[in-house]
Amino acid sequence: QVQLVQSGAEVKKPGASVKVSCKASGYTVTGYYMHWVRQAPGQGLEWMGWINPNNGGTNYAQKFQDRVTMTRDTSISTAYMELSRLKSDDTAVYYCARESAGPRAFDIWGQGTMVTVSS
Amino acid sequence: DIQMTQSPSSLSASVGDRVTITCRASQSISSYLNWYQQKPGKAPKLLIYTASSLQSGVPSRFSGSGSGTDFTLTISSLQPEDFATYYCQQSYSTLGLTFGGGTKVEIK
């Protein structure tokens, strides 16, 4: 079945970087944009950006422009999101989500990866 | 960025009630509005896309309407499995997508 499976929870110190993976299965990964969305504990959803797995093109939310890098490895149907210079308020669950259905609507989501930033 | 404002932020309702959640955009977004349901500890689930199109597999008691700046999600007869938090999301701005703050639907 169509699914996205993310890497496991991470604990990082302030100033470090984290790289979260998202492996797609059940569909052709190059056919759909992949987005990343995060959710701080008890808070709402925050969009971070997208990657076009077909050509590697990216678009990042202005808030994360200088700290986020989204990449992909089509040979293993996996997308990555790396966030650098971590701060305590980056503590959140990070989701990958496939864009399908309507434009920029997310029909398939990963299970989420908890990233905790603490000294 | 386009700001999305949901109301109410929470509501209490009983099984069988008709529930309406509103989402307002800070500028016109045509029909580029999606709705999601999220249960505790789970990823969001797409319910409605482009304002009124029902996602495959979603029960028909869910419906969406609106265009421009004002949108509505309606649950015609609330079921026990519908107690969750609901988010709207604008997909008009290709460079900056934004979500509403969420509406938590609780059991009365």
Side-chain angles (χ1 to χ4, degrees):
Chain A
Q1 73 278 27
V2 176
Q3 63 177 351
L4 300 172
V5 178
Q6 298 183 221
S7 49
E10 302 262 14
V11 179
K12 296 292 183 181
K13 293 193 183 303
S17 297
V18 68
K19 190 171 186 177
V20 179
S21 68
C22 171
K23 183 172 178 60
S25 61
Y27 74 97
T28 303
V29 69
T30 52
Y32 301 85
Y33 281 37
M34 191 75 78
H35 295 249
W36 290 86
V37 176
R38 77 177 187 178
Q39 187 171 35
Q43 303 300 309
L45 302 167
E46 182 175 32
W47 177 78
M48 300 181 69
W50 56 250
I51 182 167
N52 178 349
N54 191 42
N55 60 15
T58 56
N59 175 49
Y60 304 140
Q62 191 161 12
K63 174 177 179 177
F64 302 104
Q65 280 279 355
D66 60 344
R67 293 200 298 137
V68 73
T69 304
M70 296 178 188
T71 57
R72 91 291 190 218
D73 183 340
T74 56
S75 69
I76 55 172
S77 299
T78 300
Y80 302 91
M81 185 285 300
E82 184 171 21
L83 190 62
S84 64
R85 303 195 303 277
L86 290 168
K87 302 169 281 188
S88 58
D89 60 4
D90 291 319
T91 294
V93 176
Y94 290 76
Y95 294 102
C96 58
R98 186 183 82 163
E99 176 182 331
S100 184
R104 298 170 293 283
F106 312 136
D107 68 332
I108 304 294
W109 294 66
Q111 83 276 19
T113 296
M114 181 70 211
V115 175
T116 303
V117 183
S118 174
S119 55
Chain B
D1 283 356
I2 298 172
Q3 306 303 313
M4 306 301 295
T5 304
Q6 282 184 241
S7 60
S9 56
S10 65
L11 64 89
S12 296
S14 300
V15 172
D17 284 354
R18 182 181 182 89
V19 169
T20 299
I21 298 169
T22 296
C23 181
R24 175 165 288 175
S26 60
Q27 67 180 73
S28 176
I29 57 171
S30 184
S31 294
Y32 291 98
L33 192 284
N34 309 310
W35 289 98
Y36 299 86
Q37 175 194 67
Q38 187 179 33
K39 296 182 179 178
K42 299 295 187 182
K45 173 187 175 183
L46 179 64
L47 299 176
I48 302 285
Y49 60 94
T50 53
S52 60
S53 296
L54 191 68
Q55 171 67 356
S56 175
V58 174
S60 59
R61 62 180 179 273
F62 291 93
S63 64
S65 65
S67 66
T69 60
D70 294 313
F71 301 85
T72 298
L73 174 70
T74 299
I75 309 172
S76 60
S77 178
L78 197 65
Q79 298 302 300
E81 61 268 30
D82 300 337
F83 291 95
T85 300
Y86 294 84
Y87 293 94
C88 62
Q89 174 233 333
Q90 64 82 12
S91 55
Y92 177 83
S93 173
T94 58
L95 300 182
L97 307 179
T98 46
F99 291 86
T103 296
K104 187 174 184 178
V105 176
E106 298 176 301
I107 303 172
K108 182 183 282 186

